[in-house]
Amino acid sequence: MGNSSKDDSLTDGDASSGDAPPSKTSLYTEGEKVLAYHGPRIYEAKVQKAELMKKEWKFFVHYLGWNKSWDEWVGADRLMKLTEENVLKQQELDKKQGVDKNVKSGRSAHTRPKSSADVKAEKEDTKTNVVKTKKRKTESVAEKEGASSEKSVKIQIPSTLRKQLVDDWDFVNQQDKLVKLPRSPTVDEILSKYLDYRSKKENTTSDSLAEILKGIRCYFDKALPVMLLYKKERKQFQDVVLDDMSPSNIYGAEHLLRLFVKLPELLAYVSIEEETLTRLQQKLTDFLKFLQKNQSTFFLSTYDSIKGVEGKGKGKDD
Amino acid sequence: MESGGKAREEEQDGMSVHSPCKAPPSSASSLPKEQSQVELELRLLEALEIYPPIKLQGIHRHFVLFGLMEFLRRSFNRQFSSDEVLQLLDRFYNLEVLKPDDEDIEVLNREEDFSLPQSFFVKEES
């Protein structure tokens, strides 16, 4: 590449003379969610910082759901916009390659980051199998743990609850339906039912379990509006949840279960010793089993159509 | 900037004026009871390396507290209640003065829609 400017000082005035002048505004902004290549895989990541270094934009990224120790500076060639189109490409790849449970490549086995040319080629031709399937968080967490000593919480969601999540997705996104609020039992009620159930079983009240349940409730209240709602549910949230109400007192098992999908991502921000993490995992898993056991009473079997929920619109059906 | 830095730093850390470092002189004649308190405090400080007090002011509070409870439980082979841990912490920190971690705030200030990971749509073979 021709080095047009002999001057190394970072005056942005001479950018115009370069053959590939870096734009003064970066392609990715701080806080933006992106797709990031790391070795042969693509991960969801978040740009924490963007800086112009030696005339090149560098981005400090955090891989969502991964321990902070993986955070790193990368060039723009490692990143892709988090657009529907790009996600779709990934998903195509996912489907094409299936979820290969045998792939055991951790970070240590990864090759060097690709050159921008490689990345471009891959981006354009997703049909080649150069890019390995992107693994979803929970699976990749498990994998990485095998490959290195990196720890992050693993949460195995029982299969009937996984199905529940798919149905939930279907109701809202495919059938335009919503969970009728307020729910019964609410998240708060479910959590205290569980605490009761455990206390009776063990004949003692476990302070550590109580703390975890408080933690779940706190996450739920904070996370619901920012990461647990499908787009179509936002209006309902605004209508139903007024200023000083806690979502955990209005929403129920349907949304609580979604929190468990996001839990590894949230817990990655806390450093936890391995032993404690194992205990935490056990407790979370046990709670999921409890949800599963009570699936028919905790979860709705049908949702209301959006028109019905929103009130006296033109009643299309029902 | 430099001159005022120290004081401000202390404030941010929420260091209590009643730090046990300034133990009354009488404590020189140490009793067994105090010995165990020293042990307890040392362990707690050790635990705080992993579970920084600043995290006790954000959304992760309960999980950090859980971590501390577990750490002490393993160190002393007995249960610690959350209140007990908090009281212990109170000897060193004024938690109310601590500001939540910026990172913790940042996690939740970007609204995004929930999306169910693709892996959920893959039929599990059984």
Side-chain angles (χ1 to χ4, degrees), chain A residues 31 33 68 91 136 162 207 211 219 226-227 229-230 234 266 269 271 273 275-276 279, chain B residues 50-51 55 60 62-63 65 70-71 74 81-82 103 108 110 112-114 118-120 124:
Chain A
K33 283 193 142 192
K68 268 197 291 186
Q91 294 178 351
R136 303 310 307 199
R162 291 173 69 90
D207 215 42
E211 207 55 46
Y219 272 171
V226 286
M227 55 174 79
L229 293 174
Y230 287 117
R234 293 216 173 269
L266 287 168
Y269 286 92
S271 66
E273 303 152 277
E275 262 183 280
T276 303
R279 239 174 108 86
Chain B
I50 307 167
Y51 305 101
K55 288 273 187 191
H60 306 295
H62 300 286
F63 291 100
L65 203 48
E70 286 293 297
F71 186 99
R74 281 200 303 273
S81 71
S82 49
E103 184 191 79
L108 293 172
R110 286 190 64 86
E112 60 178 68
D113 295 329
F114 181 76
Q118 192 60 29
S119 59
F120 281 80
E124 269 174 48

mmCIF file of all heavy atoms in Angstrom, chain A residues 31 33 68 91 136 162 207 211 219 226-227 229-230 234 266 269 271 273 275-276 279, chain B residues 50-51 55 60 62-63 65 70-71 74 81-82 103 108 110 112-114 118-120 124:
data_model
loop_
_atom_site.group_PDB
_atom_site.id
_atom_site.type_symbol
_atom_site.label_atom_id
_atom_site.label_comp_id
_atom_site.label_asym_id
_atom_site.label_seq_id
_atom_site.Cartn_x
_atom_site.Cartn_y
_atom_site.Cartn_z
ATOM 1 N N GLY A 31 -20.795 2.033 22.007
ATOM 2 C CA GLY A 31 -22.086 1.536 22.474
ATOM 3 C C GLY A 31 -22.821 0.733 21.421
ATOM 4 O O GLY A 31 -23.796 0.058 21.718
ATOM 5 N N LYS A 33 -23.838 -2.167 18.936
ATOM 6 C CA LYS A 33 -23.705 -3.622 18.901
ATOM 7 C C LYS A 33 -23.295 -4.030 17.496
ATOM 8 O O LYS A 33 -23.831 -3.521 16.520
ATOM 9 C CB LYS A 33 -25.016 -4.278 19.265
ATOM 10 C CG LYS A 33 -25.281 -4.242 20.732
ATOM 11 C CD LYS A 33 -26.409 -5.173 21.044
ATOM 12 C CE LYS A 33 -26.185 -5.899 22.331
ATOM 13 N NZ LYS A 33 -27.131 -6.991 22.470
ATOM 14 N N LYS A 68 -15.022 -10.333 30.595
ATOM 15 C CA LYS A 68 -14.354 -9.111 30.149
ATOM 16 C C LYS A 68 -12.915 -9.338 29.693
ATOM 17 O O LYS A 68 -12.360 -8.537 28.951
ATOM 18 C CB LYS A 68 -14.337 -8.108 31.316
ATOM 19 C CG LYS A 68 -15.513 -7.191 31.329
ATOM 20 C CD LYS A 68 -15.229 -5.997 32.208
ATOM 21 C CE LYS A 68 -15.156 -6.371 33.678
ATOM 22 N NZ LYS A 68 -15.016 -5.225 34.560
ATOM 23 N N GLN A 91 -27.356 -16.736 10.141
ATOM 24 C CA GLN A 91 -28.336 -17.783 10.395
ATOM 25 C C GLN A 91 -28.354 -18.802 9.266
ATOM 26 O O GLN A 91 -28.500 -19.989 9.496
ATOM 27 C CB GLN A 91 -29.714 -17.170 10.598
ATOM 28 C CG GLN A 91 -29.750 -16.334 11.858
ATOM 29 C CD GLN A 91 -31.071 -15.656 12.089
ATOM 30 O OE1 GLN A 91 -31.935 -15.678 11.211
ATOM 31 N NE2 GLN A 91 -31.232 -15.032 13.244
ATOM 32 N N ARG A 136 -24.167 -20.136 19.317
ATOM 33 C CA ARG A 136 -24.904 -19.235 20.189
ATOM 34 C C ARG A 136 -24.225 -19.207 21.554
ATOM 35 O O ARG A 136 -23.485 -20.104 21.906
ATOM 36 C CB ARG A 136 -26.366 -19.672 20.310
ATOM 37 C CG ARG A 136 -27.068 -19.765 18.993
ATOM 38 C CD ARG A 136 -26.913 -18.544 18.116
ATOM 39 N NE ARG A 136 -27.292 -17.307 18.809
ATOM 40 C CZ ARG A 136 -27.591 -16.200 18.146
ATOM 41 N NH1 ARG A 136 -27.562 -16.149 16.848
ATOM 42 N NH2 ARG A 136 -27.913 -15.130 18.813
ATOM 43 N N ARG A 162 -37.429 -24.778 26.487
ATOM 44 C CA ARG A 162 -36.921 -24.232 25.217
ATOM 45 C C ARG A 162 -38.079 -24.135 24.223
ATOM 46 O O ARG A 162 -38.219 -23.156 23.506
ATOM 47 C CB ARG A 162 -35.805 -25.121 24.648
ATOM 48 C CG ARG A 162 -34.526 -25.085 25.455
ATOM 49 C CD ARG A 162 -33.525 -26.116 24.955
ATOM 50 N NE ARG A 162 -33.002 -25.796 23.641
ATOM 51 C CZ ARG A 162 -31.915 -25.065 23.444
ATOM 52 N NH1 ARG A 162 -31.228 -24.608 24.464
ATOM 53 N NH2 ARG A 162 -31.492 -24.803 22.218
ATOM 54 N N ASP A 207 -30.241 -18.607 53.202
ATOM 55 C CA ASP A 207 -30.000 -17.196 52.963
ATOM 56 C C ASP A 207 -29.365 -16.971 51.597
ATOM 57 O O ASP A 207 -29.638 -15.986 50.925
ATOM 58 C CB ASP A 207 -29.079 -16.664 54.061
ATOM 59 C CG ASP A 207 -29.432 -15.243 54.411
ATOM 60 O OD1 ASP A 207 -30.639 -14.948 54.500
ATOM 61 O OD2 ASP A 207 -28.512 -14.432 54.582
ATOM 62 N N GLU A 211 -30.779 -14.774 48.434
ATOM 63 C CA GLU A 211 -30.003 -13.708 47.791
ATOM 64 C C GLU A 211 -30.025 -13.866 46.265
ATOM 65 O O GLU A 211 -30.161 -12.884 45.534
ATOM 66 C CB GLU A 211 -28.558 -13.760 48.312
ATOM 67 C CG GLU A 211 -27.834 -12.444 48.275
ATOM 68 C CD GLU A 211 -28.565 -11.329 49.020
ATOM 69 O OE1 GLU A 211 -29.032 -11.567 50.146
ATOM 70 O OE2 GLU A 211 -28.672 -10.225 48.468
ATOM 71 N N TYR A 219 -32.512 -8.235 38.479
ATOM 72 C CA TYR A 219 -32.203 -8.314 37.050
ATOM 73 C C TYR A 219 -33.482 -8.172 36.229
ATOM 74 O O TYR A 219 -33.523 -7.480 35.231
ATOM 75 C CB TYR A 219 -31.566 -9.664 36.709
ATOM 76 C CG TYR A 219 -30.065 -9.737 36.849
ATOM 77 C CD1 TYR A 219 -29.422 -10.960 36.744
ATOM 78 C CD2 TYR A 219 -29.281 -8.604 37.074
ATOM 79 C CE1 TYR A 219 -28.035 -11.066 36.869
ATOM 80 C CE2 TYR A 219 -27.902 -8.701 37.196
ATOM 81 C CZ TYR A 219 -27.290 -9.935 37.096
ATOM 82 O OH TYR A 219 -25.930 -10.047 37.205
ATOM 83 N N VAL A 226 -35.353 -3.084 28.914
ATOM 84 C CA VAL A 226 -34.250 -2.879 27.975
ATOM 85 C C VAL A 226 -33.850 -4.087 27.152
ATOM 86 O O VAL A 226 -33.227 -3.934 26.101
ATOM 87 C CB VAL A 226 -32.977 -2.321 28.656
ATOM 88 C CG1 VAL A 226 -33.160 -0.867 28.991
ATOM 89 C CG2 VAL A 226 -32.605 -3.103 29.880
ATOM 90 N N MET A 227 -34.177 -5.276 27.588
ATOM 91 C CA MET A 227 -33.746 -6.399 26.765
ATOM 92 C C MET A 227 -34.671 -7.614 26.725
ATOM 93 O O MET A 227 -34.383 -8.580 26.052
ATOM 94 C CB MET A 227 -32.333 -6.848 27.154
ATOM 95 C CG MET A 227 -32.169 -7.197 28.613
ATOM 96 S SD MET A 227 -30.539 -7.870 28.965
ATOM 97 C CE MET A 227 -29.551 -6.375 29.016
ATOM 98 N N LEU A 229 -38.108 -7.521 26.000
ATOM 99 C CA LEU A 229 -39.360 -7.347 25.265
ATOM 100 C C LEU A 229 -39.138 -7.451 23.762
ATOM 101 O O LEU A 229 -38.155 -6.942 23.235
ATOM 102 C CB LEU A 229 -39.958 -5.963 25.568
ATOM 103 C CG LEU A 229 -40.447 -5.704 26.987
ATOM 104 C CD1 LEU A 229 -40.872 -4.256 27.125
ATOM 105 C CD2 LEU A 229 -41.587 -6.639 27.355
ATOM 106 N N TYR A 230 -40.067 -8.112 23.120
ATOM 107 C CA TYR A 230 -40.084 -8.046 21.664
ATOM 108 C C TYR A 230 -40.655 -6.682 21.290
ATOM 109 O O TYR A 230 -41.402 -6.071 22.065
ATOM 110 C CB TYR A 230 -40.971 -9.154 21.089
ATOM 111 C CG TYR A 230 -40.368 -10.531 21.173
ATOM 112 C CD1 TYR A 230 -40.974 -11.532 21.939
ATOM 113 C CD2 TYR A 230 -39.203 -10.848 20.481
ATOM 114 C CE1 TYR A 230 -40.433 -12.814 22.008
ATOM 115 C CE2 TYR A 230 -38.648 -12.124 20.546
ATOM 116 C CZ TYR A 230 -39.265 -13.103 21.310
ATOM 117 O OH TYR A 230 -38.721 -14.360 21.377
ATOM 118 N N ARG A 234 -43.711 -3.474 23.218
ATOM 119 C CA ARG A 234 -43.300 -2.220 23.868
ATOM 120 C C ARG A 234 -44.471 -1.322 24.236
ATOM 121 O O ARG A 234 -44.494 -0.712 25.288
ATOM 122 C CB ARG A 234 -42.323 -1.453 22.977
ATOM 123 C CG ARG A 234 -41.020 -2.174 22.828
ATOM 124 C CD ARG A 234 -39.832 -1.253 22.759
ATOM 125 N NE ARG A 234 -38.627 -2.057 22.781
ATOM 126 C CZ ARG A 234 -37.976 -2.392 23.884
ATOM 127 N NH1 ARG A 234 -38.406 -1.944 25.052
ATOM 128 N NH2 ARG A 234 -36.913 -3.150 23.834
ATOM 129 N N LEU A 266 -25.586 -11.172 31.336
ATOM 130 C CA LEU A 266 -25.583 -10.258 32.476
ATOM 131 C C LEU A 266 -24.544 -10.660 33.515
ATOM 132 O O LEU A 266 -23.807 -9.836 34.039
ATOM 133 C CB LEU A 266 -26.976 -10.227 33.128
ATOM 134 C CG LEU A 266 -28.058 -9.499 32.343
ATOM 135 C CD1 LEU A 266 -29.437 -9.778 32.928
ATOM 136 C CD2 LEU A 266 -27.788 -7.999 32.346
ATOM 137 N N TYR A 269 -20.678 -9.834 33.638
ATOM 138 C CA TYR A 269 -20.134 -8.594 34.180
ATOM 139 C C TYR A 269 -19.650 -8.742 35.620
ATOM 140 O O TYR A 269 -19.054 -7.844 36.172
ATOM 141 C CB TYR A 269 -21.184 -7.477 34.124
ATOM 142 C CG TYR A 269 -21.405 -6.949 32.731
ATOM 143 C CD1 TYR A 269 -22.393 -7.477 31.918
ATOM 144 C CD2 TYR A 269 -20.597 -5.928 32.237
ATOM 145 C CE1 TYR A 269 -22.589 -6.994 30.631
ATOM 146 C CE2 TYR A 269 -20.787 -5.434 30.959
ATOM 147 C CZ TYR A 269 -21.781 -5.973 30.161
ATOM 148 O OH TYR A 269 -21.963 -5.503 28.896
ATOM 149 N N SER A 271 -17.358 -10.922 38.295
ATOM 150 C CA SER A 271 -16.379 -11.996 38.370
ATOM 151 C C SER A 271 -16.749 -12.877 39.563
ATOM 152 O O SER A 271 -17.008 -12.381 40.650
ATOM 153 C CB SER A 271 -14.966 -11.433 38.523
ATOM 154 O OG SER A 271 -14.848 -10.776 39.758
ATOM 155 N N GLU A 273 -15.907 -16.686 41.535
ATOM 156 C CA GLU A 273 -14.990 -17.837 41.632
ATOM 157 C C GLU A 273 -15.660 -19.090 41.086
ATOM 158 O O GLU A 273 -16.867 -19.232 41.142
ATOM 159 C CB GLU A 273 -14.626 -18.120 43.084
ATOM 160 C CG GLU A 273 -14.013 -16.988 43.824
ATOM 161 C CD GLU A 273 -14.342 -17.123 45.291
ATOM 162 O OE1 GLU A 273 -15.432 -16.699 45.695
ATOM 163 O OE2 GLU A 273 -13.503 -17.687 46.013
ATOM 164 N N GLU A 275 -15.889 -22.183 42.101
ATOM 165 C CA GLU A 275 -16.722 -22.991 43.006
ATOM 166 C C GLU A 275 -18.090 -22.356 43.222
ATOM 167 O O GLU A 275 -19.118 -23.024 43.250
ATOM 168 C CB GLU A 275 -16.018 -23.117 44.353
ATOM 169 C CG GLU A 275 -15.267 -24.406 44.527
ATOM 170 C CD GLU A 275 -14.662 -24.457 45.917
ATOM 171 O OE1 GLU A 275 -13.607 -23.823 46.096
ATOM 172 O OE2 GLU A 275 -15.247 -25.101 46.807
ATOM 173 N N THR A 276 -18.042 -21.051 43.411
ATOM 174 C CA THR A 276 -19.286 -20.325 43.642
ATOM 175 C C THR A 276 -20.146 -20.348 42.383
ATOM 176 O O THR A 276 -21.373 -20.473 42.450
ATOM 177 C CB THR A 276 -18.964 -18.873 44.038
ATOM 178 O OG1 THR A 276 -18.125 -18.896 45.188
ATOM 179 C CG2 THR A 276 -20.216 -18.085 44.346
ATOM 180 N N ARG A 279 -21.983 -23.558 42.158
ATOM 181 C CA ARG A 279 -23.132 -23.554 43.069
ATOM 182 C C ARG A 279 -24.274 -22.712 42.525
ATOM 183 O O ARG A 279 -25.439 -23.095 42.587
ATOM 184 C CB ARG A 279 -22.691 -22.991 44.421
ATOM 185 C CG ARG A 279 -22.887 -23.952 45.568
ATOM 186 C CD ARG A 279 -22.296 -23.361 46.822
ATOM 187 N NE ARG A 279 -23.354 -22.941 47.757
ATOM 188 C CZ ARG A 279 -23.919 -23.751 48.641
ATOM 189 N NH1 ARG A 279 -23.594 -25.014 48.694
ATOM 190 N NH2 ARG A 279 -24.836 -23.296 49.467
ATOM 191 N N ILE B 50 -11.963 -10.050 44.722
ATOM 192 C CA ILE B 50 -12.749 -10.707 43.680
ATOM 193 C C ILE B 50 -14.078 -9.992 43.495
ATOM 194 O O ILE B 50 -14.568 -9.834 42.384
ATOM 195 C CB ILE B 50 -13.026 -12.180 44.058
ATOM 196 C CG1 ILE B 50 -11.711 -12.874 44.400
ATOM 197 C CG2 ILE B 50 -13.747 -12.901 42.923
ATOM 198 C CD1 ILE B 50 -11.899 -14.211 45.072
ATOM 199 N N TYR B 51 -14.655 -9.598 44.617
ATOM 200 C CA TYR B 51 -15.978 -8.981 44.571
ATOM 201 C C TYR B 51 -15.888 -7.522 45.009
ATOM 202 O O TYR B 51 -16.092 -7.217 46.179
ATOM 203 C CB TYR B 51 -16.942 -9.747 45.487
ATOM 204 C CG TYR B 51 -16.993 -11.221 45.154
ATOM 205 C CD1 TYR B 51 -16.296 -12.155 45.906
ATOM 206 C CD2 TYR B 51 -17.720 -11.669 44.054
ATOM 207 C CE1 TYR B 51 -16.324 -13.511 45.582
ATOM 208 C CE2 TYR B 51 -17.758 -13.005 43.728
ATOM 209 C CZ TYR B 51 -17.057 -13.926 44.496
ATOM 210 O OH TYR B 51 -17.087 -15.250 44.163
ATOM 211 N N LYS B 55 -19.406 -2.969 43.106
ATOM 212 C CA LYS B 55 -20.431 -3.785 42.442
ATOM 213 C C LYS B 55 -21.649 -4.010 43.337
ATOM 214 O O LYS B 55 -22.673 -4.503 42.877
ATOM 215 C CB LYS B 55 -19.843 -5.142 42.043
ATOM 216 C CG LYS B 55 -18.864 -5.074 40.892
ATOM 217 C CD LYS B 55 -19.608 -5.171 39.577
ATOM 218 C CE LYS B 55 -18.641 -5.277 38.405
ATOM 219 N NZ LYS B 55 -19.331 -5.114 37.128
ATOM 220 N N HIS B 60 -25.905 -5.858 39.936
ATOM 221 C CA HIS B 60 -25.335 -7.162 40.264
ATOM 222 C C HIS B 60 -25.216 -7.394 41.769
ATOM 223 O O HIS B 60 -24.707 -8.418 42.205
ATOM 224 C CB HIS B 60 -23.960 -7.309 39.628
ATOM 225 C CG HIS B 60 -23.956 -7.057 38.154
ATOM 226 N ND1 HIS B 60 -24.629 -7.859 37.266
ATOM 227 C CD2 HIS B 60 -23.399 -6.076 37.418
ATOM 228 C CE1 HIS B 60 -24.460 -7.389 36.037
ATOM 229 N NE2 HIS B 60 -23.727 -6.306 36.106
ATOM 230 N N HIS B 62 -26.806 -8.427 44.300
ATOM 231 C CA HIS B 62 -27.147 -9.662 45.008
ATOM 232 C C HIS B 62 -26.220 -10.814 44.646
ATOM 233 O O HIS B 62 -25.930 -11.665 45.477
ATOM 234 C CB HIS B 62 -28.603 -10.040 44.739
ATOM 235 C CG HIS B 62 -29.556 -8.986 45.192
ATOM 236 N ND1 HIS B 62 -29.844 -8.765 46.514
ATOM 237 C CD2 HIS B 62 -30.246 -8.045 44.499
ATOM 238 C CE1 HIS B 62 -30.689 -7.753 46.622
ATOM 239 N NE2 HIS B 62 -30.941 -7.301 45.407
ATOM 240 N N PHE B 63 -25.758 -10.822 43.427
ATOM 241 C CA PHE B 63 -24.863 -11.901 43.040
ATOM 242 C C PHE B 63 -23.469 -11.690 43.630
ATOM 243 O O PHE B 63 -22.765 -12.643 43.951
ATOM 244 C CB PHE B 63 -24.832 -12.052 41.520
ATOM 245 C CG PHE B 63 -26.137 -12.562 40.979
ATOM 246 C CD1 PHE B 63 -27.062 -11.700 40.406
ATOM 247 C CD2 PHE B 63 -26.470 -13.900 41.098
ATOM 248 C CE1 PHE B 63 -28.288 -12.166 39.952
ATOM 249 C CE2 PHE B 63 -27.694 -14.383 40.640
ATOM 250 C CZ PHE B 63 -28.598 -13.516 40.070
ATOM 251 N N LEU B 65 -23.007 -10.169 46.496
ATOM 252 C CA LEU B 65 -23.213 -10.511 47.897
ATOM 253 C C LEU B 65 -23.212 -12.031 48.086
ATOM 254 O O LEU B 65 -22.613 -12.560 49.021
ATOM 255 C CB LEU B 65 -24.551 -9.919 48.365
ATOM 256 C CG LEU B 65 -24.759 -9.669 49.852
ATOM 257 C CD1 LEU B 65 -23.578 -8.947 50.469
ATOM 258 C CD2 LEU B 65 -26.029 -8.838 50.055
ATOM 259 N N GLU B 70 -20.520 -16.882 49.979
ATOM 260 C CA GLU B 70 -19.940 -18.185 49.674
ATOM 261 C C GLU B 70 -18.452 -18.228 50.017
ATOM 262 O O GLU B 70 -17.942 -19.214 50.542
ATOM 263 C CB GLU B 70 -20.130 -18.501 48.180
ATOM 264 C CG GLU B 70 -21.543 -18.875 47.807
ATOM 265 C CD GLU B 70 -21.940 -20.204 48.420
ATOM 266 O OE1 GLU B 70 -21.315 -21.217 48.088
ATOM 267 O OE2 GLU B 70 -22.878 -20.226 49.240
ATOM 268 N N PHE B 71 -17.780 -17.126 49.707
ATOM 269 C CA PHE B 71 -16.348 -17.055 49.996
ATOM 270 C C PHE B 71 -16.104 -17.241 51.492
ATOM 271 O O PHE B 71 -15.263 -18.035 51.914
ATOM 272 C CB PHE B 71 -15.807 -15.696 49.547
ATOM 273 C CG PHE B 71 -14.309 -15.551 49.671
ATOM 274 C CD1 PHE B 71 -13.496 -15.734 48.561
ATOM 275 C CD2 PHE B 71 -13.727 -15.231 50.887
ATOM 276 C CE1 PHE B 71 -12.121 -15.596 48.672
ATOM 277 C CE2 PHE B 71 -12.348 -15.096 51.012
ATOM 278 C CZ PHE B 71 -11.543 -15.282 49.900
ATOM 279 N N ARG B 74 -16.932 -20.772 52.834
ATOM 280 C CA ARG B 74 -15.874 -21.751 52.588
ATOM 281 C C ARG B 74 -14.655 -21.507 53.467
ATOM 282 O O ARG B 74 -13.993 -22.442 53.904
ATOM 283 C CB ARG B 74 -15.471 -21.731 51.119
ATOM 284 C CG ARG B 74 -16.429 -22.484 50.225
ATOM 285 C CD ARG B 74 -15.757 -22.856 48.912
ATOM 286 N NE ARG B 74 -15.248 -21.675 48.219
ATOM 287 C CZ ARG B 74 -15.984 -20.951 47.384
ATOM 288 N NH1 ARG B 74 -17.215 -21.294 47.130
ATOM 289 N NH2 ARG B 74 -15.476 -19.896 46.796
ATOM 290 N N SER B 81 -24.869 -15.020 56.856
ATOM 291 C CA SER B 81 -26.075 -14.434 56.277
ATOM 292 C C SER B 81 -25.677 -13.158 55.541
ATOM 293 O O SER B 81 -24.600 -12.610 55.769
ATOM 294 C CB SER B 81 -27.084 -14.113 57.371
ATOM 295 O OG SER B 81 -26.622 -13.019 58.127
ATOM 296 N N SER B 82 -26.565 -12.717 54.680
ATOM 297 C CA SER B 82 -26.241 -11.512 53.926
ATOM 298 C C SER B 82 -26.087 -10.317 54.869
ATOM 299 O O SER B 82 -25.223 -9.463 54.673
ATOM 300 C CB SER B 82 -27.304 -11.236 52.865
ATOM 301 O OG SER B 82 -28.588 -11.298 53.440
ATOM 302 N N GLU B 103 -19.941 0.824 34.195
ATOM 303 C CA GLU B 103 -20.205 -0.288 33.289
ATOM 304 C C GLU B 103 -21.588 -0.879 33.564
ATOM 305 O O GLU B 103 -22.322 -1.208 32.647
ATOM 306 C CB GLU B 103 -19.131 -1.343 33.484
ATOM 307 C CG GLU B 103 -19.243 -2.499 32.542
ATOM 308 C CD GLU B 103 -18.327 -3.623 32.972
ATOM 309 O OE1 GLU B 103 -18.689 -4.369 33.905
ATOM 310 O OE2 GLU B 103 -17.272 -3.746 32.361
ATOM 311 N N LEU B 108 -27.400 -1.291 30.944
ATOM 312 C CA LEU B 108 -28.849 -1.176 30.867
ATOM 313 C C LEU B 108 -29.346 0.123 30.252
ATOM 314 O O LEU B 108 -30.520 0.431 30.326
ATOM 315 C CB LEU B 108 -29.434 -1.326 32.273
ATOM 316 C CG LEU B 108 -29.253 -2.723 32.871
ATOM 317 C CD1 LEU B 108 -29.674 -2.738 34.302
ATOM 318 C CD2 LEU B 108 -30.036 -3.754 32.064
ATOM 319 N N ARG B 110 -28.951 0.891 27.051
ATOM 320 C CA ARG B 110 -29.223 0.756 25.621
ATOM 321 C C ARG B 110 -30.373 -0.212 25.423
ATOM 322 O O ARG B 110 -30.263 -1.389 25.703
ATOM 323 C CB ARG B 110 -27.988 0.257 24.884
ATOM 324 C CG ARG B 110 -26.927 1.317 24.730
ATOM 325 C CD ARG B 110 -25.861 0.835 23.783
ATOM 326 N NE ARG B 110 -26.388 0.633 22.441
ATOM 327 C CZ ARG B 110 -26.479 1.607 21.543
ATOM 328 N NH1 ARG B 110 -26.101 2.823 21.852
ATOM 329 N NH2 ARG B 110 -26.953 1.366 20.348
ATOM 330 N N GLU B 112 -32.785 -2.578 23.590
ATOM 331 C CA GLU B 112 -32.785 -3.416 22.404
ATOM 332 C C GLU B 112 -33.913 -4.429 22.528
ATOM 333 O O GLU B 112 -34.346 -4.738 23.629
ATOM 334 C CB GLU B 112 -31.454 -4.137 22.270
ATOM 335 C CG GLU B 112 -31.164 -5.032 23.460
ATOM 336 C CD GLU B 112 -29.862 -5.796 23.320
ATOM 337 O OE1 GLU B 112 -28.806 -5.154 23.355
ATOM 338 O OE2 GLU B 112 -29.934 -7.024 23.151
ATOM 339 N N ASP B 113 -34.367 -4.923 21.408
ATOM 340 C CA ASP B 113 -35.452 -5.896 21.453
ATOM 341 C C ASP B 113 -34.905 -7.263 21.818
ATOM 342 O O ASP B 113 -33.779 -7.601 21.490
ATOM 343 C CB ASP B 113 -36.159 -5.967 20.097
ATOM 344 C CG ASP B 113 -36.843 -4.653 19.782
ATOM 345 O OD1 ASP B 113 -37.281 -3.980 20.731
ATOM 346 O OD2 ASP B 113 -36.923 -4.296 18.599
ATOM 347 N N PHE B 114 -35.737 -8.028 22.481
ATOM 348 C CA PHE B 114 -35.347 -9.395 22.795
ATOM 349 C C PHE B 114 -35.291 -10.198 21.501
ATOM 350 O O PHE B 114 -36.130 -10.023 20.618
ATOM 351 C CB PHE B 114 -36.367 -10.026 23.750
ATOM 352 C CG PHE B 114 -36.031 -11.430 24.152
ATOM 353 C CD1 PHE B 114 -35.034 -11.670 25.084
ATOM 354 C CD2 PHE B 114 -36.704 -12.502 23.590
ATOM 355 C CE1 PHE B 114 -34.706 -12.964 25.460
ATOM 356 C CE2 PHE B 114 -36.382 -13.812 23.965
ATOM 357 C CZ PHE B 114 -35.387 -14.026 24.898
ATOM 358 N N GLN B 118 -30.851 -18.248 17.689
ATOM 359 C CA GLN B 118 -31.190 -19.191 16.627
ATOM 360 C C GLN B 118 -31.167 -20.642 17.105
ATOM 361 O O GLN B 118 -31.955 -21.459 16.651
ATOM 362 C CB GLN B 118 -30.201 -18.990 15.475
ATOM 363 C CG GLN B 118 -30.588 -19.677 14.194
ATOM 364 C CD GLN B 118 -31.928 -19.194 13.668
ATOM 365 O OE1 GLN B 118 -32.319 -18.048 13.914
ATOM 366 N NE2 GLN B 118 -32.641 -20.046 12.961
ATOM 367 N N SER B 119 -30.288 -20.934 18.029
ATOM 368 C CA SER B 119 -30.132 -22.326 18.453
ATOM 369 C C SER B 119 -31.425 -22.907 19.037
ATOM 370 O O SER B 119 -31.613 -24.113 19.051
ATOM 371 C CB SER B 119 -29.021 -22.433 19.496
ATOM 372 O OG SER B 119 -29.334 -21.632 20.614
ATOM 373 N N PHE B 120 -32.308 -22.030 19.486
ATOM 374 C CA PHE B 120 -33.569 -22.511 20.045
ATOM 375 C C PHE B 120 -34.494 -23.077 18.974
ATOM 376 O O PHE B 120 -35.385 -23.845 19.263
ATOM 377 C CB PHE B 120 -34.296 -21.388 20.800
ATOM 378 C CG PHE B 120 -33.731 -21.148 22.167
ATOM 379 C CD1 PHE B 120 -32.573 -20.408 22.323
ATOM 380 C CD2 PHE B 120 -34.329 -21.683 23.292
ATOM 381 C CE1 PHE B 120 -32.036 -20.189 23.577
ATOM 382 C CE2 PHE B 120 -33.805 -21.477 24.555
ATOM 383 C CZ PHE B 120 -32.644 -20.726 24.698
ATOM 384 N N GLU B 124 -34.210 -30.454 18.451
ATOM 385 C CA GLU B 124 -33.295 -31.356 19.129
ATOM 386 C C GLU B 124 -33.634 -32.793 18.809
ATOM 387 O O GLU B 124 -34.775 -33.197 18.896
ATOM 388 C CB GLU B 124 -33.380 -31.151 20.646
ATOM 389 C CG GLU B 124 -32.396 -30.122 21.130
ATOM 390 C CD GLU B 124 -32.603 -29.827 22.603
ATOM 391 O OE1 GLU B 124 -32.708 -30.797 23.373
ATOM 392 O OE2 GLU B 124 -32.677 -28.642 22.940
#
